[in-house]
Amino acid sequence: MNINGSCQCGAIEYQVSGELLATLMCYCTECHKVSAGYGTMTVLIDQNNFKLNKGTLKLWQRSSDSGNMNRAHFCGDCGNRIYHQNPDKPDIIRLKTGTLGNSADYTPQAHLWLKSAPAWVLIPKDTLTFQTQPPLANLLALIKEQ
Ligand SMILES: [Zn+2]
Ligand SMILES: [Zn+2]
């Protein structure tokens, strides 16, 4: 399965193939900034399954509260965030679903950082929720069990 994606201005085009490892919704305050809204949806994929077809991504990085580096790859023209990657664990990239061609087709398997979610957010029953965020390996294991 191939899925095409692009940034808001079209300078960046990419393709995703293979299996999606997880679909996550995050309401942390960093994601408020990234989305200029209240959170972001992300699919985790193997970095080998991401192919940049057009343009050059710009890089901005910060260290998270847990001490991990978080590298943000984005369009230098329109500023649209495409994916995040931890340089210490580069095998998995966290792609922002809003830039995918079928962006409305994703349903979160887990909701993270409810602690900073707006009070009006409604989470479907029987969905994994976390006040903050568990380590990635634990989260993937919990999603598999569902
Ligand atoms: Zn752009
Ligand atoms: Zn977040």
Side-chain angles (χ1 to χ4, degrees):
M1 177 187 58
N2 292 327
I3 311 165
N4 291 314
S6 63
C7 69
Q8 199 172 4
C9 76
I12 301 292
E13 286 178 9
Y14 66 89
Q15 193 172 66
V16 171
S17 58
E19 183 199 1
L20 307 177
L21 304 173
T23 307
L24 307 171
M25 181 71 208
C26 182
Y27 308 95
C28 79
T29 53
E30 296 292 338
C31 283
H32 295 185
K33 297 287 189 193
V34 171
S35 64
Y38 59 84
T40 68
M41 276 264 290
T42 299
V43 284
L44 304 187
I45 61 170
D46 187 303
Q47 71 159 349
N48 297 316
N49 293 337
F50 178 89
K51 192 167 154 260
L52 188 64
N53 289 329
K54 185 182 156 200
T56 309
L57 289 166
K58 277 201 156 191
L59 175 70
W60 174 73
Q61 64 179 18
R62 66 177 182 89
S63 59
S64 71
D65 294 343
S66 57
N68 289 326
M69 278 312 260
N70 190 357
R71 283 192 178 155
H73 299 261
F74 63 98
C75 173
D77 291 331
C78 70
N80 212 178
R81 211 55 84 79
I82 305 297
Y83 69 87
H84 287 188
Q85 191 174 30
N86 176 348
D88 297 323
K89 292 173 190 158
D91 46 313
I92 289 180
I93 69 173
R94 305 195 298 277
L95 188 75
K96 302 297 168 200
T97 61
T99 63
L100 287 164
N102 59 351
S103 56
D105 291 352
Y106 298 86
T107 304
Q109 293 166 300
H111 293 252
L112 311 177
W113 287 94
L114 286 185
K115 197 175 136 174
S116 44
W120 48 259
V121 166
L122 296 173
I123 312 281
K125 265 188 191 157
D126 305 323
T127 306
L128 281 174
T129 59
F130 300 89
Q131 285 304 306
T132 60
Q133 183 177 340
L136 185 58
N138 300 10
L139 180 58
L140 291 177
L142 286 167
I143 286 172
K144 248 188 196 153
E145 275 171 27
Q146 276 193 312

